Amino acid sequence: MSRYLCHTEPDCFNFEANVLARRPNAVLLDRSFFYPGGGGQLADRGTLQWNGGQVKISRVEMEGGNAWHCFDEADIGATPAETVTASVDPEFRSLMSQLHTGLHILNALVYQRFEGSLVTGVQMAADGTARIDFDLPEVDNNDLRKLEPELNTLISDGLQVNALYLDAAALAREPGVLRSRSVAPPPQGDGTTRIIEIVGLDRQACGGTHLTKTSQSAPLRILKIENKGQHNRRIRIGLVK
């Protein structure tokens, strides 16, 4: 995959684009700053506008290297013009970025405290909650709950969050950056892998959107811890509103 424009220009929320193809409830654009979703993160939301019309984009569907921008159900049947003005919802992007950055901090704490435990699943939700599953067969749930104060201290510390790209040789020298037991972010078109670094805390492979400083996030609360099978431990978190 080539690098997403939302990664290279993360502050671009409004742009013009040409419609390359259509189908009943979606269009394919010649460029897009929408994050298409993946790795447990929901796709960006927003709108497409043109002279005489507007539709809401409720999701993005990837087919091969093509990102189809899908209309809200109320707008199905609309016909966008050849050129549209697209707007990414910045509040929804921020919500997803806060959750994703917070999950990285929690992931780092679990990885450091509990012998390199790997992630077995992640899902973020539009209501400001998320869950992350770890391979943690023998850890007491109370020990996981005790991570909440440190999690929020690291958020308030305002640690810098950077994105960098490692080639295969550099990636092999940092085995701890691949944290999922079963999946890894797809490589970029040049063969590199995107890494999210929380300076002084953590580096791990990731294709999602993130904050630039941890202090841009609201505090997080550990809502629930569940045992899922013999090995999986599920931690549910939520942004404090």
Side-chain angles (χ1 to χ4, degrees), residues 48 51 65 77 108 111-112 114 119-121 135 145 161 166 175 182 190 202 210 216 231 240:
L48 300 183
N51 187 19
Y111 186 80
Q112 293 166 11
F114 302 107
V119 174
T120 56
D135 185 359
R145 290 187 183 280
V161 182
L166 298 182
S182 58
D190 59 4
D202 189 56
H210 292 271
Q216 294 170 331
H231 286 265
V240 178

Side-chain angles (χ1 to χ4, degrees), residues 48-69:
L48 300 183
Q49 294 179 299
W50 62 95
N51 187 19
Q54 173 178 300
V55 292
K56 292 182 179 180
I57 300 302
S58 57
R59 68 189 188 281
V60 180
E61 294 181 355
M62 293 298 296
E63 293 184 3
N66 295 324
W68 288 89
H69 296 65

Side-chain angles (χ1 to χ4, degrees), residues 44 47 54 81 87 98 100 105 121 146-147 152 155 160 168-169 179 197 214 220:
D44 281 335
T47 61
Q54 173 178 300
S87 298
Q98 289 181 70
H100 210 152
I105 298 172
K146 291 175 183 177
L147 296 175
N152 284 305
I155 288 173
Q160 184 70 31
R179 298 285 176 78
E197 176 187 43
T214 59
L220 285 165

Side-chain angles (χ1 to χ4, degrees), residues 104-181:
H104 273 232
I105 298 172
L106 180 58
N107 186 339
L109 293 175
V110 171
Y111 186 80
Q112 293 166 11
R113 300 289 190 280
F114 302 107
E115 300 180 351
S117 175
L118 296 178
V119 174
T120 56
V122 176
Q123 186 62 59
M124 288 158 252
D127 63 358
T129 65
R131 57 93 169 164
I132 183 167
D133 295 1
F134 293 98
D135 185 359
L136 281 170
E138 298 179 356
V139 173
D140 189 291
N141 286 352
N142 288 327
D143 290 333
L144 294 172
R145 290 187 183 280
K146 291 175 183 177
L147 296 175
E148 184 179 300
E150 187 172 1
L151 171 65
N152 284 305
T153 295
L154 290 166
I155 288 173
S156 63
D157 281 347
L159 302 180
Q160 184 70 31
V161 182
N162 300 324
L164 56 143
Y165 296 83
L166 298 182
D167 61 23
L171 196 66
R173 292 193 294 269
E174 289 193 54
V177 300
L178 298 176
R179 298 285 176 78
S180 174
R181 179 164 292 284

